Amino acid sequence: TPVTTGGPELPTPTGTFHILQKFSPFTFHSPWPKGSPYWYADSPTNFALLYDSSGYFIHDAPWRSRFGPGSNAIQGTPGQDGTGTHGCTNLPLAAERQLFPWADVGTPVIVQN
């Protein structure tokens, strides 16, 4: 499936990880203070797979309509449609609906450029 990853300011870490926890539903809360260029309002998702204890997830992104190559390339606030994520990996909801029940805790996650 096409995905959207972090942009240049907040890249998605590369390497081999494993699913650590699964959440459904899950609401993301900004770790950045209001006024920061990285701050975002609470963002509810349907499914979230934590794969790095620093807070990196694979999750659906109801606010996003574009995924795939170039979907993280527009300059601007991370998390907007067309800009990169805050480092997470965003999937279309249909793909996340299939991935979530399939990926058990411990499933490998390989992130590469």
Side-chain angles (χ1 to χ4, degrees):
T1 185
V3 303
T4 300
T5 58
E9 315 84 24
L10 299 170
T12 300
T14 57
T16 300
F17 307 91
H18 295 87
I19 299 297
L20 301 173
Q21 290 181 281
K22 297 172 65 166
F23 304 93
S24 179
F26 188 79
T27 299
F28 287 91
H29 306 283
S30 180
W32 294 277
K34 219 171 192 174
S36 165
Y38 303 127
W39 180 85
Y40 56 89
D42 286 356
S43 302
T45 63
N46 296 284
F47 306 101
L49 299 164
L50 177 67
Y51 66 89
D52 182 275
S53 59
S54 299
Y56 295 97
F57 290 79
I58 299 169
H59 64 85
D60 60 288
W63 53 88
R64 190 177 289 284
S65 64
R66 290 183 51 221
F67 299 89
S71 63
N72 65 347
I74 296 173
Q75 291 290 335
T77 304
Q80 304 299 309
D81 203 20
T83 64
T85 70
H86 290 84
C88 287
T89 302
N90 290 177
L91 274 67
L93 179 56
E96 187 68 4
R97 269 197 184 113
Q98 290 183 315
L99 180 64
F100 188 83
W102 175 86
D104 294 323
V105 169
T107 298
V109 176
I110 301 168
V111 182
Q112 53 194 126
N113 288 330

